[in-house]
Amino acid sequence: MAKAIRMTRTGGPEVLEYVDVEVGEPGPGEARVRQHAIGLNFIDVYFRTGLYPMPLPSGLGQEGAGVVEAVGEGVTHVQPGDRVAYAGRPNGAYSELRIMQADILVKLPDAIDFETGAAMMLQGLTVQYLFNGTYEVKPGQTILFHAAAGGVGLIACQWARALGVNLIGTVGSREKAELAKAAGAAHVINYNDEDIVARVLDITNGEKVPVVYDSVGKDTFTRSLDCLQPRGLMVSFGNSSGAVPPFSLGELASRGSLYITRPSLAAYVATRPELEARAADLFGMVQSGKVKIDIRQRFPLADAAQAHIALEARRTTGSTILLP
């Protein structure tokens, strides 16, 4: 038996139940992992509320790090005793022990501890594919990145600085502005005090930016489009303020033939070689010291509901982990 978070219905944080679950032996293609740390991400909220549908009852969570206890038939890339980390579906990371598909596991370098491994995989791989897959940023470019003081945002600020990219980050408070600036943002816009579009025009001398990375959704979508150069790319990769409402494609034409994409990590690590290459790039950035994973909140696994409350209230900065 192991402790885990389970939910039988969608809704608020109160639907998260801390219960005993039975964990058996891994089947073909599976591994049993004893988890040492678990990552908390906004996508967990989307599943909990039902914005992203999933079969119920269900576990929750898509990111963790721990040690392989056993593997099923056909699994050769990891073995019992290996330190591993992962990010991706299916849900179920909120657990002391879990049976999972082994194909999403990657070996965690000895120089990276379990807490860092759990906090970095989903967010770090997201930045990796955003900057190297969805749109390849180049030294000297100026880009716009919303929620720059969040877990993904702080990694993006550091990664951009390492690449010589001028990142304009948006935040909602003076404290968060200081965090983003310290992490490497070239410019920071506090959207509660400043007009995002006007500030972007000012910073870029009226040229705007070639790409906007927007994980906020409804509250920033139109302003993000207004910050783009003709033929610029709008990367909408999250909905922390709510889903983007339907809009006319003519909105893209009227702003200068804009492009838009709604990427997800799964499409960028769809094959084993892709996953290993992106993970190796992420591990390299962390081990070099160019990207540091800033874990600012730790909650016991039993307090997952409290962690969700803090996350949704935007009281968190950097990365948040759950500890079994």
Side-chain angles (χ1 to χ4, degrees), residues 37 63 65 108 112-121 286 292-293 295 321:
E63 176 181 49
L108 189 64
I112 299 177
D113 62 67
F114 289 120
E115 290 193 1
T116 300
M120 70 187 277
M121 289 299 292
V286 172
K292 296 180 180 179
I293 307 303
I295 302 171
I321 59 172

Side-chain angles (χ1 to χ4, degrees), residues 22-57:
E22 189 169 343
V23 181
E25 296 299 317
E30 295 180 334
R32 187 173 70 230
V33 178
R34 173 74 58 179
Q35 305 209 113
H36 288 243
I38 300 151
L40 178 75
N41 297 281
F42 221 98
I43 193 172
D44 303 345
V45 174
Y46 303 155
F47 281 107
R48 192 205 74 219
T49 60
L51 178 63
Y52 290 179
M54 66 176 176
L56 294 172

Side-chain angles (χ1 to χ4, degrees), residues 153-321:
L154 289 179
I155 294 173
C157 289
Q158 297 174 77
W159 207 306
R161 177 170 58 186
L163 296 176
V165 172
N166 300 309
L167 183 145
I168 304 171
T170 70
V171 298
S173 70
R174 183 176 300 177
E175 176 194 14
K176 290 184 176 182
E178 292 172 354
L179 288 173
K181 192 75 172 179
H187 306 276
V188 180
I189 301 170
N190 183 341
Y191 53 74
N192 286 319
D193 296 333
E194 303 172 284
D195 181 273
I196 293 174
V197 179
R199 283 286 289 127
V200 168
L201 283 167
D202 179 53
I203 291 167
T204 62
N205 295 316
E207 293 187 3
K208 301 187 180 181
V209 296
V211 61
V212 176
Y213 295 101
D214 191 336
S215 64
V216 177
K218 176 174 62 69
D219 289 353
T220 53
F221 183 76
T222 300
R223 286 177 289 177
S224 292
L225 296 180
D226 289 338
C227 290
L228 283 166
Q229 299 170 358
R231 293 183 292 173
L233 176 63
M234 168 65 173
V235 183
S236 176
F237 70 100
N239 317 281
S240 63
S241 69
V244 175
F247 75 102
S248 169
L249 290 178
E251 296 290 336
L252 303 178
S254 66
R255 289 172 169 83
S257 298
L258 302 181
Y259 294 86
I260 187 167
T261 184
R262 182 59 172 89
S264 65
L265 175 61
Y268 286 87
V269 292
T271 68
R272 187 73 200 176
E274 284 181 301
L275 171 60
E276 291 182 344
R278 296 194 189 282
D281 191 19
L282 171 60
F283 293 157
M285 291 293 282
V286 172
Q287 290 178 281
S288 72
K290 294 176 181 178
V291 170
K292 296 180 180 179
I293 307 303
D294 189 9
I295 302 171
R296 290 183 162 258
Q297 297 81 212
R298 293 172 173 82
F299 291 85
L301 177 60
D303 293 340
Q306 294 303 313
H308 275 236
I309 290 171
L311 183 65
E312 289 185 276
R314 301 190 182 185
R315 297 201 304 265
T316 64
T317 55
S319 298
T320 303
I321 59 172

